[in-house]
Amino acid sequence: MSLADWVAASAVVALGASLHGSVGFGMSLLSTPLLVLVDPRLVPAPVICVSALLTVLILLRERQAVDLKGLPWALVGALPGVWLGGSAVGALPTRGLSIVIALLILTAVGVITVGRPPRRSPLTMGVTGTVSGFMGTAAGIGGPPIALIYRNERGPTIRASISGFFLVLTPLQLVSLTAVGRLGAWELGAAAALAPGMCLGFLMSSRVRAQVDAGLIRVVILIVSTVSAGAVLLRALL
């Protein structure tokens, strides 16, 4: 990659981190389609590594708002999802996998937009964790399912709970990607090079999260989820 490529990738990561820090997810949603255009090797492992550091920063900032009742069930459900996602990366064509993930996101958005969000229970949280674990490992886009089920909560609860989920989930994703040969020295170096851009985005999010929390966060979650699914689907079909 050239210097111009690294600058462009860092700018993309900064924008993604700003969105993620404001809403609770979105780093991979915004960054993944654009980073693929810069260099496909930046997805998914480097994005997941950078997102892990961002998750820690958000959780430290809003740790007292974590949903300690429902989150453990989502984490239990995430275990088979991570395994399935890692297996899918190693076995399925990238195009087919992207189409499946995009359709899953659009289906979830459609169901929640038309009807009521599912009530959080051990079962619904477990299923959500499984879907999120699968999507996050397979494509680095695991935020929409867990964000959609929390979308009627306050901004701090959404951000802190999603961050707590991925703080535990990310190491499992990285182990899974390592097992299928998708995480090595190059990917770790790329993540380190993108970290400053992520930190800049996090600082930007601290300035705009209050405005997002003022009645906008539910709408933003649905919009970002829909746009991200459309981008993934378009990339797979072209």
Side-chain angles (χ1 to χ4, degrees):
M1 288 177 61
S2 66
L3 178 59
D5 289 335
W6 284 115
V7 171
S10 295
V12 168
V13 167
L15 290 174
S18 178
L19 174 64
H20 192 125
S22 304
V23 182
F25 76 114
M27 172 74 170
S28 298
L29 298 179
L30 179 61
S31 301
T32 295
L34 298 176
L35 289 177
V36 167
L37 298 177
V38 177
D39 191 322
R41 295 176 297 172
L42 295 173
V43 178
V47 175
I48 292 175
C49 290
V50 174
S51 296
L53 179 55
L54 177 61
T55 292
V56 172
L57 295 175
I58 295 172
L59 193 57
L60 289 174
R61 186 180 67 188
E62 303 188 70
R63 58 189 177 277
Q64 296 188 10
V66 176
D67 173 26
L68 296 177
K69 183 178 179 180
L71 195 57
W73 294 106
L75 291 170
V76 170
L79 297 176
V82 170
W83 179 80
L84 289 171
S87 300
V89 168
L92 297 179
T94 301
R95 182 173 181 270
L97 187 60
S98 297
I99 292 174
V100 170
I101 288 172
L103 292 177
L104 283 173
I105 297 173
L106 290 174
T107 299
V109 170
V111 169
I112 290 176
T113 302
V114 173
R116 295 181 178 180
R119 185 177 65 86
R120 291 202 305 276
S121 67
L123 177 60
T124 58
M125 291 301 294
V127 171
T128 299
T130 300
V131 176
S132 186
F134 170 80
M135 291 170 50
T137 306
I141 300 178
I146 199 76
L148 288 168
I149 203 167
Y150 275 112
R151 78 179 188 93
N152 283 336
E153 294 292 335
R154 295 170 52 250
T157 299
I158 295 173
R159 289 188 292 266
S161 298
I162 295 175
S163 296
F165 177 79
F166 282 107
L167 182 66
V168 177
L169 184 64
T170 298
L172 301 178
Q173 293 176 321
L174 296 178
V175 168
S176 182
L177 290 172
T178 301
V180 296
R182 295 292 297 273
L183 176 60
W186 191 92
E187 287 79 9
L188 292 174
L194 296 175
M198 180 278 297
C199 291
L200 175 61
F202 174 73
L203 293 176
M204 292 165 57
S205 75
S206 297
R207 293 182 173 274
V208 300
R209 61 188 170 123
Q211 287 76 17
V212 173
D213 288 349
L216 294 176
I217 193 162
R218 297 179 185 87
V219 176
V220 172
I221 285 174
L222 292 174
I223 291 174
V224 173
S225 296
T226 303
V227 170
S228 67
V232 172
L233 188 59
L234 183 63
R235 187 184 72 201
L237 295 176
L238 292 180

